[in-house]
Amino acid sequence: MIESVRRAFALAVFALMAAAVVFHSPVASAQGGAPVAKVGGSWDTEWGDSKAVLDLTQTGAKITGAYAGSSQGKVTGTIAGRVLTGTWTGTVPGDNGGFVLDFKADGTSFTGTWGTGTSRTNGGPWVGIRK
């Protein structure tokens, strides 16, 4: 009887330790994802020879916004951690593409790329500083 209680106790301790290892593993943490950066607000941005103010609205991981300056348009995207991936649409029909922006941990700036059509990179660099 005592031996079966010891075995049951040992199995319970082993199960708790195994659960703790899985709960704290990098894979489990990655599945939960990094905290989403707060990127809503106004940004002074530059790409190529163009400049614009990019105004972003954030609801959780969903981002919407508009830019105005050398050109005008709208953006939509999703942020995961500090990386915003999305699409932009200009005011001229067929003027659209994708982008990927990486925001600094302190929330003061971003660097990234933009592209035309289905590309996120063929347009070149896109940088911004929080206003």
Side-chain angles (χ1 to χ4, degrees), residues 14-34:
F14 176 78
L16 286 172
M17 290 174 62
V21 167
V22 168
F23 180 74
H24 292 292
S25 74
V27 172
S29 297
Q31 290 172 351

Side-chain angles (χ1 to χ4, degrees), residues 65-127:
Y67 57 92
S70 301
S71 61
Q72 291 83 33
K74 296 181 180 184
V75 297
T76 61
T78 304
I79 191 158
R82 296 186 341 235
V83 177
L84 172 59
T85 304
T87 58
W88 61 271
T89 305
T91 56
V92 176
D95 191 20
N96 59 61
F99 62 86
V100 177
L101 306 177
D102 184 7
F103 291 80
K104 286 185 72 173
D106 65 6
T108 61
S109 64
F110 67 79
T111 59
T113 59
W114 66 280
T116 57
T118 59
S119 177
R120 295 181 184 147
T121 60
N122 67 2
W126 189 2
V127 297

Side-chain angles (χ1 to χ4, degrees), residues 9 12 16 18 31 43-45 56 63 73 76-77 90 93 114 117 128 130:
F9 179 77
L16 286 172
Q31 290 172 351
W43 301 83
D44 285 325
T45 72
L56 298 178
I63 308 294
T76 61
W114 66 280
R130 190 180 288 275

Side-chain angles (χ1 to χ4, degrees), residues 1 8 21 37 47 55 57-58 66 109 114 130:
M1 172 83 171
V21 167
W47 65 96
D55 291 310
T57 301
Q58 181 171 1
S109 64
W114 66 280
R130 190 180 288 275

